[in-house]
Amino acid sequence: MILLLEAAASSSPDREAVVTSEGTSTYGELLEDARRVATALRRQGITRFAVVERDAGWVLRLLAGAALSGAEPCQYQPDTDATEFADHASMLDHKFVVSRREDLTGAFEVIRPETLVTVDADSTLRSDEDAEQPLMIRTTGTTGLPKAARHDWRILGKTVAGVRPMPEQRWLLAYGPQQFAGVQVLLHVAASQATLVAPFPRQPRDGLDALLTKGVTCVSATPTFWRFLLAEARSRRVTLPPLEQITLGGEASPGDLLEEIQTTFPGAKVSQVYASTEFGSITSVRDGKPGLAVDSLWSEDHPTSNVRVSDGELWVRAGAGMLGYAEESSTAAGESADAHGTGDVEGEWRRTGDLVEIVDDRVMFRGRKSEVINVGGVKVHPLPVEDRITGLGTVALARVFGRPSKLTGAIVAAEIVPVDGVERADVEAIRAQIKEAVADLPRAWQPRSVTFVDAIETKGGKTIRGMEH
Amino acid sequence: MGTDQEKARTVIGDFLQRIDKGADGWTDETELWGEGIGLDSLEAAELSAMLEDEFGSDPFSAGADLPEKVGDVLAFYSPVST
């Protein structure tokens, strides 16, 4: 991160690096402040710290400063509950917390970020490509408690080694910068010496505002984020500006959503990225179709591929993956995938927990292993059911999940956001459409509980499926 | 404002319509299973969920014995004598 920032600041110090709700910073300003942060961290003897900060400008200063000083930052969701934060900070032994929040108390010292940029930068501090540049990234915790993965900027930086400067690009930060995908966006923007547009909050409606008013040209977001953003745009009856690049990740991209994105933004290049906090960025698809191409899988004829399918599950070998989970040595990284339930390890290959099915020439995602709903002994994958429902013209958004039932263990349940809103929608007509849309699925797969809601809850920009408790 | 039993009767009627087993032609004495309405486990789970959504509890989840007749479901929502 610091090396990319130095390159961008050297090339164009006055170029806008980041635009947030709090203001705009140039690459020169970011680098200068990063050097001050590094100096302050060194002087205070801080080698690892937590970050609870909502403004992406501050986040960039802190991450780059930490990389220069060799300290390990670990971001938390900026609006995380104070009690929950204290517990997690204790578990990860964070003695220092950089934050502007006033309500964080616990067995740690809170340092305001402004105080880290008041010192004069130590002119002897130099970035060193060979020195460790640690970074801890916590998982979203969509399917359980968040885990903390140890990374190194030098390894993560390899994924953007081939990125050329594209200073005219303006990337929307739709992910939290504390998420792995958010870190990827920060890296990509710095490597391309482009501008990061980072509103806060980062809800789809805020993203839509940024598209309409901040000259955004590129967006990286989850399919769920896109569904919400497009629904919001339809509701407001606004004309969306053209985009140059759209990147989808974090979840499987349904075919109907890909079609809608391509129709709405006909000039945009659309990429789907397969990545995770643990495995790093593994592969990407640019053909506009859902799933992966079968011929992109590992085989004797394609030995360089990092992806293969075994027993209906996707296996990968890490490209720019983590060094290990918190408290583990780097050499234990291989075993850690097993120890933390992500699955078995076979040599350099690891289970991902993503269930897939080969349909003709595509590898189609069927959902996470942890999302499978057991309906009277029948295993139901929520994603294909959800795809049927979201394909209906009257449905803006849908979430399919498992609802406990004493009679069958679970039933398939669906929450529906109608295009016309709950008040105006003909919900009985939509119920009938849903029934017809899933009629050819096995009976256990058909939703037995359909409720109509104004909004669907997400976590880290992803739809929460699996069993409700 | 109807009683809970009247509301439960409406929920059962809506449910039977949704599963295409007719909103009419049933009485309190109609059997839920077999030769009566002929519910299977998935349909019963659906009715259980609908009743739970309406009342917060339902007779299929509450006790050890499943209701046998429509009237058993309605009885679950009968006013409590004090």
Side-chain angles (χ1 to χ4, degrees):
Chain A
M1 176 53 82
I2 187 65
L3 294 168
L4 294 172
L5 211 54
E6 284 175 348
S10 166
S11 164
S12 303
D14 297 327
R15 181 172 298 143
E16 280 186 351
V18 57
V19 178
T20 75
S21 316
E22 298 189 17
T24 298
S25 302
T26 65
Y27 276 103
E29 289 166 344
L30 282 189
L31 180 61
E32 186 55 33
D33 279 348
R35 286 177 172 154
R36 291 187 176 121
V37 167
T39 303
L41 292 172
R42 282 275 179 92
R43 284 186 187 159
Q44 295 181 43
I46 298 172
T47 55
R48 46 194 308 275
F49 60 100
V51 178
V52 187
E53 174 54 53
R54 62 184 223 170
D55 183 72
W58 274 117
V59 168
L60 280 165
R61 286 166 166 83
L62 294 169
L63 295 184
L68 182 57
S69 77
E72 180 193 69
C74 175
Q75 293 186 76
Y76 288 71
Q77 196 167 308
D79 58 355
T80 188
D81 173 77
T83 307
E84 193 178 309
F85 170 74
D87 289 344
H88 288 198
S90 170
M91 278 190 275
L92 291 175
D93 197 26
H94 280 130
K95 302 267 194 293
F96 299 97
V97 179
V98 179
S99 180
R100 290 183 292 170
R101 280 178 52 175
E102 305 281 357
D103 62 335
L104 301 180
T105 55
F108 46 76
E109 179 185 343
V110 179
I111 300 167
R112 291 189 68 85
E114 311 92 285
T115 64
L116 297 175
V117 294
T118 54
V119 298
D120 289 331
D122 178 353
S123 58
T124 64
L125 267 179
R126 292 277 182 272
S127 54
D128 180 357
E129 285 183 45
D130 297 324
E132 284 187 4
Q133 296 174 27
L135 169 73
M136 185 171 281
I137 306 177
R138 299 168 76 246
T139 61
T140 312
T142 317
T143 55
L145 275 177
K147 291 174 281 191
R150 294 185 298 108
H151 284 270
D152 190 301
W153 286 111
R154 293 170 301 170
I155 298 172
L156 292 174
K158 288 179 184 172
T159 59
V160 293
V163 173
R164 288 171 301 155
M166 303 282 273
E168 72 288 353
Q169 289 187 338
R170 293 171 70 87
W171 281 83
L172 174 70
L173 183 63
Y175 295 101
Q178 78 279 2
Q179 295 175 260
F180 181 81
V183 169
Q184 286 293 121
V185 174
L186 301 185
L187 274 171
H188 186 90
V189 170
S192 53
Q193 303 179 8
T195 301
L196 183 74
V197 177
F200 190 89
R202 281 179 273 274
Q203 295 300 314
R205 69 176 72 90
D206 308 301
L208 176 60
D209 288 339
L211 255 64
L212 297 172
T213 63
K214 303 289 185 195
V216 169
T217 62
C218 306
V219 179
S220 177
T222 61
T224 295
F225 184 96
W226 272 110
R227 276 209 192 279
F228 277 79
L229 187 147
L230 293 171
E232 181 85 15
R234 277 195 301 271
S235 162
R236 289 199 218 168
R237 294 184 169 77
V238 293
T239 303
L240 288 161
L243 291 178
E244 188 180 328
Q245 171 71 49
I246 292 172
T247 306
L248 296 134
E251 297 173 302
S253 301
D256 69 299
L257 179 67
L258 286 167
E259 277 176 30
E260 188 178 0
I261 285 174
Q262 283 159 349
T263 306
T264 310
F265 305 100
K269 292 177 191 161
V270 180
S271 309
Q272 301 167 66
V273 175
Y274 185 84
S276 80
T277 306
E278 289 94 342
F279 307 129
S281 192
I282 299 294
T283 189
S284 65
V285 179
R286 294 185 181 82
D287 59 11
K289 298 177 189 171
L292 307 170
V294 166
D295 59 16
S296 71
L297 297 175
W298 179 90
S299 68
E300 287 184 5
D301 295 333
H302 193 196
T304 56
S305 171
N306 291 327
V307 187
R308 70 179 170 89
V309 174
S310 181
D311 294 331
E313 185 173 346
L314 200 70
W315 290 62
V316 300
R317 49 185 175 187
M322 67 173 182
L323 303 173
Y325 286 110
E327 305 301 326
E328 292 173 344
S329 67
S330 300
T331 51
E335 291 78 27
S336 66
D338 254 356
H340 288 76
T342 50
D344 299 332
V345 174
E346 274 183 18
E348 57 188 341
W349 292 93
R350 295 169 193 173
R351 284 183 191 273
T352 61
D354 282 322
L355 300 173
V356 294
E357 184 184 351
I358 293 179
V359 180
D360 300 327
D361 61 345
R362 304 298 287 186
V363 180
M364 301 299 289
F365 289 93
R366 293 301 183 225
R368 300 278 303 156
K369 233 180 189 175
S370 54
E371 291 174 347
V372 170
I373 307 164
N374 191 332
V375 181
V378 178
K379 288 181 179 174
V380 179
H381 302 298
L383 209 51
V385 184
E386 204 171 283
D387 288 351
R388 299 286 183 101
I389 299 173
T390 51
L392 297 171
T394 49
V395 174
L397 304 160
R399 177 174 85 95
V400 171
F401 56 99
R403 176 172 172 170
S405 167
K406 189 180 175 190
L407 298 169
T408 55
I411 54 172
V412 176
E415 280 182 350
I416 309 295
V417 178
V419 166
D420 295 330
V422 178
E423 290 295 316
R424 290 193 300 162
D426 182 347
V427 295
E428 288 310 317
I430 298 175
R431 272 186 206 283
Q433 290 170 358
I434 292 171
K435 192 172 173 182
E436 194 180 335
V438 300
D440 63 325
L441 293 175
R443 291 187 71 242
W445 289 55
Q446 298 172 9
R448 296 285 164 181
S449 168
V450 176
T451 50
F452 293 85
V453 294
D454 290 317
I456 283 171
E457 195 182 347
T458 59
K459 196 167 187 179
K462 299 177 189 176
T463 301
I464 304 164
R465 301 182 180 92
M467 277 300 295
E468 284 213 331
H469 298 288
Chain B
M1 181 76 70
T3 65
D4 281 356
Q5 285 194 326
E6 285 166 353
K7 284 186 202 166
R9 202 180 289 278
T10 304
V11 170
I12 293 169
D14 290 346
F15 161 71
L16 291 174
Q17 206 157 25
R18 279 186 202 169
I19 64 166
D20 301 324
K21 291 200 170 174
D24 304 317
W26 51 275
T27 69
D28 292 6
E29 291 304 310
T30 304
E31 298 277 346
L32 295 171
W33 324 100
E35 295 300 311
I37 294 171
L39 297 182
D40 64 19
S41 60
L42 285 169
E43 289 165 340
E46 182 171 347
L47 176 57
S48 164
M50 286 177 71
L51 291 165
E52 188 189 22
D53 287 343
E54 180 68 32
F55 300 104
S57 62
D58 73 277
F60 297 92
S61 308
D65 297 327
L66 291 176
E68 292 179 5
K69 296 177 181 177
V70 170
D72 297 336
V73 176
L74 299 175
F76 184 79
Y77 300 106
S78 63
V80 178
S81 304
T82 55

